[in-house]
Amino acid sequence: MSKEENLPDSQSRTDHDRLFKELLSTFFEEFMALFFPDAYEAIDFEHTSFLSEELFTDILKGEKRRVDLLVETRLRGEESLIIIHVEPQSYEQTSFHDRMFIYFSRLYEKYRRRILPIAIFSYDKVKEEPDTLHISFPFFNVMTFQFLKVELRRKNWRDYIQQDNPIAAALLSKMGYTPEERVEVKKEFLRMLVRLEQDPARMTLLTGFFETYLQLSEEEEQHLRMELQKLDPDEEGRIMELTTSWHEKGRREGKQEGRQDGKREAVHVLLQAKFGDAAKALHEDIQKLTKDEHIDELLLKVTIAPSLQEVKDFIQDKVPKQTKDKRLQ
């Protein structure tokens, strides 16, 4: 999605961008398998690499826009490289298909390769987005540009709960469900996590993504606990043992300190997975965060942060001045 820096909610949009980018870059193969099986069968995933973001300037509007996810790969049985461009879009934009064409044109100008454009629409309104741009005259068709698309709110979440696919699990939170189904969606998400058996860092990423977009109220959490008790005892027990899900750990312990410990544990696991041993220097400073909202924000920040420095800057801003460690100066 684009970064429109002159808009007041640009930071929120940037966070959506980074959160989706982290999810898709971690589970790119699973994403293609879930939504585009024909393309998945054709792609050689053994030769896949992620390219750096491309920054374009809209000359007419004077806005800077950034292409989020670029994947360089090849098709099975072919030597030539192709580019897959994935663009998450979290808000309505009437000219979005025009923007996809502009991105396509700029990318083709730079790489001179076949480009597969894909858009993911994640805003809450249910509508059909145009995926085609025509340029023609009564006497001649100049061009027809088309891109693949995923419209999440038009997807019925029940159609995906039997998929052993981490992308399906995370994106349940953005699919089409009624307010009355929120508890059931969360229950099925937890059941999927148990079946997926991901490593702690990936489990944390999936949980952090899901709960960013679907967070239950205390009453709904009580309802969820009752629903979990109706499951097979072994399955219920495995769900309760998802220690990397800070939300579930905090709920079980039932105390503020326990909730915070569970969230901090998830932060440490994800930091180690993303940034390696360099992240260990932040351990003591993370323990100094005492407000629930700051720890919640930190978990999301670690999930979407492109660099360890950005995490350091966040902690430096939140830790009380009298307890700041010299390492963050």
Side-chain angles (χ1 to χ4, degrees), residues 17-58:
D17 289 352
R18 291 179 179 172
L19 192 54
F20 267 85
K21 182 177 180 179
E22 185 73 23
L23 180 72
L24 295 175
S25 60
T26 302
F27 300 106
F28 177 69
E29 186 173 348
E30 292 86 347
F31 166 73
M32 296 300 296
L34 183 66
F35 293 116
F36 307 108
D38 291 341
Y40 170 79
E41 291 297 331
I43 295 171
D44 181 358
F45 288 96
E46 292 185 2
H47 298 85
T48 297
S49 61
F50 294 91
L51 304 178
S52 59
E53 293 180 340
E54 295 286 348
L55 182 64
F56 298 136
T57 300
D58 187 322

Side-chain angles (χ1 to χ4, degrees), residues 140-152:
F140 182 66
N141 180 39
V142 176
M143 183 203 70
T144 299
F145 167 75
Q146 190 171 15
F147 55 89
L148 296 174
K149 65 178 179 178
V150 180
E151 296 169 314
L152 290 174

Side-chain angles (χ1 to χ4, degrees), residues 158-171:
R158 295 182 184 277
D159 294 338
Y160 294 88
I161 58 178
Q162 298 304 321
Q163 297 273 356
D164 290 332
N165 186 310
I167 284 287
L171 292 181

Side-chain angles (χ1 to χ4, degrees), residues 124-185:
D124 291 337
K125 185 176 180 179
V126 179
K127 61 172 292 190
E128 183 173 1
E129 283 282 354
D131 58 4
T132 306
L133 176 66
H134 294 287
I135 299 178
S136 63
F137 297 92
F139 53 85
F140 182 66
N141 180 39
V142 176
M143 183 203 70
T144 299
F145 167 75
Q146 190 171 15
F147 55 89
L148 296 174
K149 65 178 179 178
V150 180
E151 296 169 314
L152 290 174
R153 281 301 183 193
R154 290 167 61 86
K155 301 288 185 183
N156 188 325
W157 67 278
R158 295 182 184 277
D159 294 338
Y160 294 88
I161 58 178
Q162 298 304 321
Q163 297 273 356
D164 290 332
N165 186 310
I167 284 287
L171 292 181
L172 287 183
S173 60
K174 295 298 291 179
M175 291 183 183
Y177 52 82
T178 66
E180 294 75 23
E181 294 175 319
R182 285 165 48 88
V183 171
E184 192 173 359
V185 173

Side-chain angles (χ1 to χ4, degrees), residues 25-219:
S25 60
T26 302
F27 300 106
F28 177 69
E29 186 173 348
E30 292 86 347
F31 166 73
M32 296 300 296
L34 183 66
F35 293 116
F36 307 108
D38 291 341
Y40 170 79
E41 291 297 331
I43 295 171
D44 181 358
F45 288 96
E46 292 185 2
H47 298 85
T48 297
S49 61
F50 294 91
L51 304 178
S52 59
E53 293 180 340
E54 295 286 348
L55 182 64
F56 298 136
T57 300
D58 187 322
I59 298 176
L60 294 178
K61 296 183 178 180
E63 297 171 350
K64 292 183 178 180
R65 301 181 182 273
R66 195 179 304 274
V67 174
D68 267 342
L69 191 64
L70 288 178
V71 183
E72 183 179 72
T73 185
R74 62 179 62 170
L75 301 182
R76 299 181 189 275
E78 296 187 8
E79 293 298 322
S80 59
L81 295 172
I82 67 170
I83 302 291
I84 301 177
H85 165 215
V86 184
E87 190 72 13
Q89 179 73 0
S90 66
Y91 64 100
E92 289 187 77
Q93 184 181 26
T94 56
S95 60
F96 178 78
H97 59 307
D98 291 337
R99 180 152 62 86
M100 285 294 287
F101 173 67
I102 293 172
Y103 286 166
F104 178 88
S105 302
R106 299 282 184 87
L107 292 171
Y108 183 76
E109 180 182 26
K110 177 175 181 177
Y111 292 100
R112 298 290 172 160
R113 297 172 187 163
R114 287 177 293 174
I115 300 169
L116 179 64
I118 302 173
I120 308 174
F121 298 98
S122 62
Y123 52 77
D124 291 337
K125 185 176 180 179
V126 179
K127 61 172 292 190
E128 183 173 1
E129 283 282 354
D131 58 4
T132 306
L133 176 66
H134 294 287
I135 299 178
S136 63
F137 297 92
F139 53 85
F140 182 66
N141 180 39
V142 176
M143 183 203 70
T144 299
F145 167 75
Q146 190 171 15
F147 55 89
L148 296 174
K149 65 178 179 178
V150 180
E151 296 169 314
L152 290 174
R153 281 301 183 193
R154 290 167 61 86
K155 301 288 185 183
N156 188 325
W157 67 278
R158 295 182 184 277
D159 294 338
Y160 294 88
I161 58 178
Q162 298 304 321
Q163 297 273 356
D164 290 332
N165 186 310
I167 284 287
L171 292 181
L172 287 183
S173 60
K174 295 298 291 179
M175 291 183 183
Y177 52 82
T178 66
E180 294 75 23
E181 294 175 319
R182 285 165 48 88
V183 171
E184 192 173 359
V185 173
K186 177 65 178 293
K187 181 187 75 174
E188 294 301 330
F189 167 72
L190 294 174
R191 298 181 74 189
M192 292 176 76
L193 283 189
V194 166
R195 297 199 308 270
L196 287 168
E197 297 183 339
Q198 296 288 303
D199 62 65
R202 285 178 171 80
M203 198 78 79
T204 299
L205 172 59
L206 295 173
T207 303
F209 184 97
F210 182 92
E211 296 194 351
T212 296
Y213 297 110
L214 201 169
Q215 196 165 37
L216 300 183
S217 66
E218 181 57 36
E219 181 179 353

